[in-house]
């Protein structure tokens, strides 16, 4: 229901910053929307000119803030 793309070519350094932060946030149980915003902020700190290069696309009716790929830590404790 969601996909991340780039509006234009992105530098290797910014791509590494984005992916490291995005997957770290996902691994800690953040939603796709939250992880995307964190990764976008990491890119902005590395190169402000590339902040808007990553783009999050969501299917109609899909809310990236409600999509989780890993259960948040508090959900893991209940299991």
């Amino acid at each position: 229901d969601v996909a991340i793309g780039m509006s234009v070519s992105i530098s290797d350094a910014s791509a590494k910053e984005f992916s490291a932060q995005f997957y770290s946030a996902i691994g800690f149980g953040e939603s796709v929307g939250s992880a995307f915003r964190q990764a976008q902020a990491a890119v902005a700190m590395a190169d402000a000119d590339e902040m808007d290069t990553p783009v999050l696309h969501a299917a109609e009716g899909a809310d990236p803030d409600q999509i989780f790929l890993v259960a948040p830590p508090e959900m893991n404790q209940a299991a």
Side-chain angles (χ1 to χ4, degrees):
D1 290 335
V2 292
I4 295 172
M6 301 297 156
S7 60
V8 295
S9 198
I10 191 168
S11 70
D12 288 347
S14 290
K16 288 176 187 176
E17 288 291 333
F18 182 89
S19 61
Q21 184 58 49
F22 180 79
Y23 288 111
S24 175
I26 290 293
F28 278 101
E30 296 288 330
S31 70
V32 170
S34 176
F36 178 82
R37 289 187 295 276
Q38 289 179 37
Q40 201 172 32
V43 169
M45 290 181 1
D47 185 345
D49 291 337
E50 293 192 308
M51 178 181 152
D52 293 325
T53 300
V55 180
L56 177 61
H57 300 278
E60 188 174 329
D63 181 357
D65 289 319
Q66 298 301 315
I67 297 174
F68 296 85
L69 303 179
V70 174
E74 63 272 4
M75 293 179 77
N76 287 331
Q77 292 174 356

